[in-house]
Amino acid sequence: MKLYTVAILGATGAVGQEMIKVLQERNFPVGKLIPLASARSAGKKLLFKGEEVTIEEACDTAFEGVDIVLGAAENDIAKRFAPAIRAAGAVFVDNSSAFRMDPKVPLIVPEVNPEDVSWHNGIISNPNCSTIITLTAVNALNSLSPIRTMTASTYQAVSGAGAGGPIELQNEVDALAKGEKYEPKVFSHQIAFNLIPQIGGEAYEGYTSEEMKMQNEGRKIMHLPELAVSCTCVRVPVMRSHSISVSCHFDVPVTVEQVREVIANAPGCKLVDDLANKQYPMPLDTSDQDLVFVGRIRPDLTDPNGICLWCCGDQVRKGAATNAVQIAELLVK
């Protein structure tokens, strides 16, 4: 088996750490791992397959001899190093939003559009976490009838805001239990015992940047250029795993039984849909694994051609790290 030199750009962050974990779990053919981070982390050690690996400083020359770079850094870092990665002959699988809507860059969810890996030119983008989870859940419905519109509400865990999100939630809970105040630093408002109906800045007609990703990225990934999506993104006091309520609308009626059958057989999905026995997708059940749980499937009472469902998935894993590693697996195939 051929082995590959794999670099992790942003190796010390939550997603970078998860990428290293997933590479090990899925037995990706890594011959050499090169963890890259800022100068302040260079020289520190981390474990990979039971051996210590030294973190190196990210710089233009760090990508020489690398086959695949998994990006877990912010947009500015991705843009800064993309030219050097391509010049080194490596393929950059980038988790930031820097290149997602570039028409020359594939945007891939392996369960949805694996064929798009064939036309990359050195960069492949990993979609937004909520987009990945939602499209993994609903893509199979296109086999019944093309999805024309979606109405979605996302309930996004605090870990989606980075490593500081869960710390802030826990600190607020602890402070409130003692009757103390805690000044929010990560979020714009207190998140403990609260909901914040804004993720991202305003992008279009009162919709935030996070909300527009569901439509814009969904069109590109599912090859549905006319897809229209109204999305509301909400930060919730949950540590891990995003949840999404979705109504899909088709050209023709589809039945609940049809939807259950295709989702039960869809790659990356697990049907959990038994209301009578209180079985449905929940964040606690979907955390630290890679399947998207789908349930609460029912007719849309406002549209005879509509179906409503609820899905949950781990946004650090399937919504980021695992999806990137799955793209790398497509590359080596």
Side-chain angles (χ1 to χ4, degrees):
M1 177 188 295
K2 181 179 178 180
L3 298 179
Y4 297 84
T5 299
V6 179
I8 309 289
L9 181 60
T12 57
V15 173
Q17 290 288 297
E18 202 72 25
M19 286 173 170
I20 294 169
K21 179 181 176 183
V22 173
L23 285 169
Q24 294 178 90
E25 288 181 4
R26 296 177 71 93
N27 292 315
F28 190 86
V30 179
K32 181 180 181 181
L33 182 76
I34 304 176
L36 300 172
S38 64
R40 65 178 178 273
S41 296
K44 295 179 180 178
K45 308 283 186 180
L46 54 79
L47 282 177
F48 181 67
K49 294 185 176 180
E51 296 183 3
E52 283 192 338
V53 182
T54 303
I55 298 171
E56 301 180 18
E57 182 179 356
C59 61
D60 287 345
T61 59
F63 307 102
E64 294 175 4
V66 173
D67 298 303
I68 299 170
V69 178
L70 301 181
E74 298 299 325
N75 286 17
D76 57 338
I77 302 298
K79 291 178 180 178
R80 160 74 178 81
F81 289 114
I85 294 169
R86 293 179 67 192
V91 180
F92 186 20
V93 181
D94 179 34
N95 194 61
S96 83
S97 61
F99 306 103
R100 287 178 188 161
M101 299 316 298
D102 185 331
K104 297 179 181 178
V105 175
L107 183 64
I108 294 178
V109 178
E111 293 85 352
V112 179
N113 61 328
E115 69 281 0
D116 287 350
V117 76
S118 65
W119 55 269
H120 78 83
N121 191 27
I123 302 174
I124 300 173
S125 273
N126 217 31
N128 172 257
C129 50
S130 292
T131 301
I132 292 173
I133 293 165
T134 304
L135 298 193
T136 300
V138 307
N139 178 67
L141 304 186
N142 282 303
S143 65
L144 302 174
S145 176
I147 299 170
R148 296 307 182 195
T149 66
M150 293 197 307
T151 302
S153 294
T154 72
Y155 304 83
Q156 300 187 208
V158 293
S159 52
I167 294 171
E168 179 147 301
L169 173 56
Q170 189 62 59
N171 286 346
E172 287 182 352
V173 170
D174 293 344
L176 291 165
K178 299 174 184 176
E180 300 172 354
K181 290 186 177 181
Y182 184 89
E183 191 66 31
K185 301 175 183 64
V186 176
F187 303 109
S188 56
H189 303 277
Q190 175 185 314
I191 187 60
F193 314 113
N194 194 25
L195 302 176
I196 303 174
Q198 178 183 358
I199 303 176
E202 184 173 354
Y204 176 76
E205 294 287 346
Y207 286 87
T208 68
S209 54
E210 185 79 1
E211 290 162 348
M212 293 307 299
K213 290 172 184 176
M214 188 76 76
Q215 171 176 281
N216 298 337
E217 295 182 16
R219 288 175 171 177
K220 185 174 180 179
I221 296 162
M222 292 197 293
H223 303 161
L224 294 173
E226 303 302 320
L227 177 70
V229 180
S230 287
C231 184
T232 302
C233 292
V234 185
R235 187 72 70 191
V236 298
V238 168
M239 288 295 186
R240 186 154 169 166
S241 277
H242 290 352
S243 305
I244 302 99
S245 172
V246 192
S247 297
C248 296
H249 307 275
F250 310 90
D251 289 333
V252 298
V254 299
T255 67
V256 168
E257 290 71 24
Q258 287 176 307
V259 171
R260 285 195 178 121
E261 182 179 0
V262 297
I263 287 176
N265 293 293
C269 290
K270 180 179 180 179
L271 182 67
V272 183
D273 191 28
D274 188 352
L275 185 63
N277 289 302
K278 300 180 176 60
Q279 297 297 308
Y280 24 68
M282 294 185 292
L284 286 178
D285 296 333
T286 54
S287 293
D288 202 29
Q289 57 83 60
D290 294 323
L291 293 175
V292 174
F293 288 20
V294 187
R296 294 302 321 278
I297 299 168
R298 58 206 189 277
D300 187 333
L301 301 182
T302 72
D303 180 2
N305 295 354
I307 285 287
C308 299
L309 58 82
W310 171 264
C311 59
C312 291
D314 188 322
Q315 88 288 350
V316 181
R317 286 186 64 102
K318 179 52 187 168
T322 300
N323 200 78
V325 174
Q326 286 178 290
I327 292 171
E329 289 170 347
L330 293 175
L331 287 171
V332 302
K333 287 179 183 177

